[in-house]
Each structure stands twice: as C-alpha cells, then as structure tokens.
Amino acid sequence: KATITAADALLSTRGLLVSDQYNTVAEFRKRFYDTGDFYGPFAENFFRAYANKEKFISDEDARLRVQEAFVFVDMAQSVYSTT
C-alpha cells in the first residue's frame, strides 16, 4: 500500500489525481519508468511485487518486499522533492 501511495503522489505531479481512477502501476510505468525519471531497479521491484501480489510468499520474500518498499518510498520522496 505504501508503494502505491508513493506512486500516486508522484503521478499527481504529472497532473493525475486519484479520483481520475487510473491504473497506478501502468501510469507509473509510462510516466516515470519508461522516461527514466525513476531508478529502474527500484521501479522493477515495484512492478514485480504488484504482478505477484496474489501469490503466496515465504517469510523471507515478505521481508525482502518490505525492504524494497522502504527503498521505493525513499526514492519516490527524492523524485517528488525535485519536481
């Protein structure tokens, strides 16, 4: 949830509002990942987590996803502060 909120905050800097009912992951890919405005490996972790969100994960994978989420949110704050 934190990564989606961070991505939505970044998308708001590009004129999208949550009320627009867009696909956050698809719009983030188009507006930040494809343009190179967000560090690729961190974005790829975000995409992978959401592609597999219904899949059962081990305790170790859960720990890794939490760490990846912290890094993603930190990067999003950095990008947000430069827009």
Side-chain angles (χ1 to χ4, degrees):
K1 178 75 175 154
T3 55
I4 288 290
T5 301
D8 283 332
L10 287 177
L11 289 168
S12 74
T13 68
R14 303 289 166 94
L16 292 177
L17 303 174
V18 173
S19 61
D20 293 335
Q21 298 181 344
Y22 54 84
N23 178 306
T24 299
V25 176
E27 289 296 331
F28 181 83
R29 180 182 298 276
K30 181 171 83 174
R31 296 169 189 260
F32 286 92
Y33 178 73
D34 291 346
T35 62
D37 291 341
F38 199 93
Y39 184 60
F42 297 163
E44 290 162 7
N45 292 339
F46 171 67
F47 300 140
R48 187 180 63 253
Y50 277 88
N52 297 316
K53 70 180 180 178
E54 302 299 323
K55 183 180 173 184
F56 175 79
I57 60 173
S58 68
D59 290 345
E60 180 61 24
D61 287 340
R63 184 189 61 75
L64 180 61
R65 282 199 188 166
V66 168
Q67 289 177 339
E68 290 171 348
F70 277 122
V71 172
F72 181 90
V73 170
D74 190 47
M75 179 71 187
Q77 289 174 330
S78 177
V79 172
Y80 188 88
S81 69
T82 63
T83 59

